[in-house]
Amino acid sequence: MKEHKTPLLDELEKGPWPSFVKEMKRAAEKNESAKDLLGQLELSYQDKKGHWKHGGIVGVRGYGGGVIGRYSDCPEQFPNVAEFHTIRVNQPSGWYYNTKALRKICDIWEKRGSGLTNFHGSTGDIILLGTKTDELQPTFDELSDAGFDLGGSGSDLRTPSTCAGPARCEYACFDNLDLCHDLTMTYQDEIHRPMWPYKFKIKISGCPNDCVASIARADLSIIGTWRDSLRIDQEEVKKYAASGMDIKGEVCEPCPTKALEFDEDAGELRLKAEDCVRCMHCINRMPKALRPGVERGATILIGGKATILQSAFLSWVIVPFMKMEPPYQELKDLLERIWEWWDENGKTRERIGELIYRKGMGNFLRAVGLPAVPQMVYQPRANPYIFWQPDEVKKK
């Protein structure tokens, strides 16, 4: 087997941080495709361009998604990566595994693929990097026997993902792990069979800290919140003040809506509940003194995405508060109305946020049966106009 010189990649092994090049070289000691992968990557660095041909129709029986076809554009030079397909494996809620499950996945992948993985991909799945077409079905069969399923890819529902939730975090406002599992089980057909104009991502955060960055990375963001007032333990506030904490400077002044005031004489923190936007800054700074409210649920947002056809979008609030309790029927009914409208009106490779931007939020809300509320105003200080529909105007 030809050894590839990699002077440019070698530079990436220098420095204090772990290097993906080092791991690829370890894989190349026992896998020919990993060895050729190093050679092709070095060539990409020399040429300043990628040498992959993205796409192609490959997959496993009964599934339309879950496998991403990938081919080298210089197979004569690197024959062991002429086919180098990626397999997406559906991750459990919150990415919890035991060591036995991880060893099983790695054993399968060392036998059937390059041995290289990506934990976790940006969609949330386990990413198994690089195998030949003939190995796809055997790999899937062994993963299925081990209890794993494929995730989404292509124009389908991508695997829903969520943060660590109530299993490890005291701030979770609902059981986001259960919701993620429920949605994954309910929408198996939508995950495995591409059927829409483009991809649709659901990401769930248990609280407004939004640790999975759902507001920027999901077509539908579900972010835990509370409807009543922030809870304050004034005795703990006094302890923070006695310890020397600058509560006014560290907590009150950074509050985006100035909803908090600190009475230094009384040693009390006072809240204007109607101004609180639940950003979590104060709770993060004073976790012993401040807690989320009691009446908990989630805010539903739509349209986040990275730049492709149009610029990057942050998600847009469409339901300020929704209770999140099994069987989550209110959320599912809304989700299916959204998909129906998108499927009817979307262009090829047009994300739901781009469609709303093109057709207008008013048309979207009327189509899915949601009332307009102030939280939906996209740029509140830029556009003061409200456009009424003809049937909403009462003529004298």
Side-chain angles (χ1 to χ4, degrees):
M1 180 64 199
K2 181 181 178 182
E3 295 291 336
H4 302 288
K5 301 294 183 184
T6 57
L8 296 177
L9 291 178
D10 294 346
E11 291 295 315
L12 298 177
E13 291 186 276
K14 299 175 182 176
W17 305 104
S19 168
F20 71 96
V21 175
K22 182 178 180 180
E23 296 304 317
M24 288 173 64
K25 287 182 176 178
R26 292 176 65 181
E29 293 173 0
K30 51 186 176 182
N31 188 289
E32 299 300 330
S33 63
K35 192 175 293 184
D36 269 5
L37 180 64
L38 279 169
Q40 180 166 309
L41 185 57
E42 178 74 18
L43 180 64
S44 293
Y45 277 47
Q46 292 170 5
D47 296 345
K48 295 184 172 57
K49 71 171 189 177
H51 282 284
W52 295 111
K53 295 188 294 184
H54 186 72
I57 301 174
V58 288
V60 299
R61 285 193 295 274
Y63 284 62
V67 178
I68 302 164
R70 203 172 297 278
Y71 301 87
S72 170
D73 70 0
C74 40
E76 300 81 9
Q77 195 173 354
F78 306 105
N80 292 296
V81 292
E83 299 166 354
F84 201 73
H85 310 312
T86 295
I87 296 177
R88 287 184 176 169
V89 181
N90 193 330
Q91 84 284 5
S93 285
W95 306 291
Y96 290 100
Y97 308 89
N98 61 29
T99 54
K100 182 179 179 182
L102 291 175
R103 287 193 186 97
K104 185 66 178 177
I105 292 172
C106 292
D107 288 345
I108 294 170
W109 195 234
E110 280 199 344
K111 182 172 69 173
R112 299 291 182 187
S114 69
L116 294 167
T117 68
N118 178 202
F119 270 76
H120 288 88
S122 57
T123 296
D125 303 290
I126 301 168
I127 304 296
L128 304 181
L129 292 165
T131 193
K132 295 178 170 56
T133 305
D134 290 344
E135 291 290 352
L136 291 174
Q137 189 66 42
T139 304
F140 170 69
D141 292 342
E142 291 192 26
L143 287 169
S144 295
D145 291 343
F148 287 91
D149 199 357
L150 297 188
S153 69
S155 298
D156 63 12
L157 174 62
R158 299 301 175 83
T159 317
S161 66
T162 187
C163 66
R168 290 177 55 205
C169 178
E170 62 188 309
Y171 297 139
C173 292
F174 65 101
D175 191 346
N176 49 291
L177 300 175
D178 181 67
L179 174 62
C180 184
H181 182 72
D182 189 300
L183 293 177
T184 302
M185 295 297 106
T186 301
Y187 296 114
Q188 286 285 292
D189 200 36
E190 285 78 3
I191 291 174
H192 293 145
R193 291 161 192 89
M195 58 180 70
W196 295 325
Y198 203 16
K199 57 189 168 185
F200 193 95
K201 298 181 179 180
I202 298 174
K203 296 191 186 298
I204 308 163
S205 288
C207 80
N209 279 327
D210 195 13
C211 289
V212 292
S214 67
I215 195 169
R217 301 172 58 223
D219 297 277
L220 190 86
S221 311
I222 302 168
I223 301 176
T225 189
W226 59 95
R227 183 152 56 181
D228 53 352
S229 179
L230 183 76
R231 290 178 291 167
I232 303 175
D233 184 334
Q234 298 293 357
E235 292 304 314
E236 291 293 341
V237 172
K238 290 183 173 64
K239 291 179 182 177
Y240 275 107
S243 70
M245 183 177 186
D246 179 7
I247 295 176
K248 185 178 179 182
E250 294 182 37
V251 178
C252 299
E253 291 181 359
C255 176
T257 54
K258 308 301 178 194
L260 286 168
E261 291 180 355
F262 181 56
D263 185 332
E264 296 185 30
D265 294 333
E268 292 185 353
L269 195 62
R270 291 167 186 164
L271 171 71
K272 299 176 193 171
E274 65 277 15
D275 289 341
C276 175
V277 291
R278 296 153 180 80
C279 71
M280 293 288 290
H281 169 77
C282 57
I283 296 177
N284 293 333
R285 294 297 299 157
M286 304 174 70
K288 292 183 179 179
L290 302 175
R291 306 283 296 171
V294 175
E295 191 178 357
R296 301 182 182 189
T299 297
I300 313 299
L301 306 93
I302 197 162
K305 69 172 198 66
T307 300
I308 298 182
L309 295 181
Q310 294 196 27
S311 63
F313 290 171
L314 292 179
S315 290
W316 202 338
V317 172
I318 54 173
V319 180
F321 184 86
M322 181 184 289
K323 294 292 285 185
M324 283 293 148
E325 296 172 345
Y328 311 107
Q329 199 56 51
E330 184 180 2
L331 174 65
K332 291 173 184 174
D333 289 344
L334 173 61
L335 194 52
E336 289 165 20
R337 294 197 301 274
I338 291 170
W339 286 339
E340 184 178 357
W341 181 75
W342 179 44
D343 202 26
E344 288 290 326
N345 296 277
K347 299 177 181 178
T348 301
R349 294 179 67 81
E350 184 177 46
R351 301 282 286 270
I352 181 71
E354 293 166 332
L355 175 60
I356 294 171
Y357 193 78
R358 177 166 63 86
K359 302 281 280 188
M361 179 57 94
N363 287 323
F364 167 75
L365 294 176
R366 282 186 285 277
V368 301
L370 287 175
V373 294
Q375 288 89 339
M376 296 173 181
V377 177
Y378 187 53
Q379 294 176 320
R381 290 175 177 79
N383 186 346
Y385 297 103
I386 296 173
F387 296 94
W388 301 97
Q389 295 298 301
D391 59 352
E392 294 173 334
V393 179
K394 293 182 180 179
K395 295 181 180 179
K396 293 182 178 179

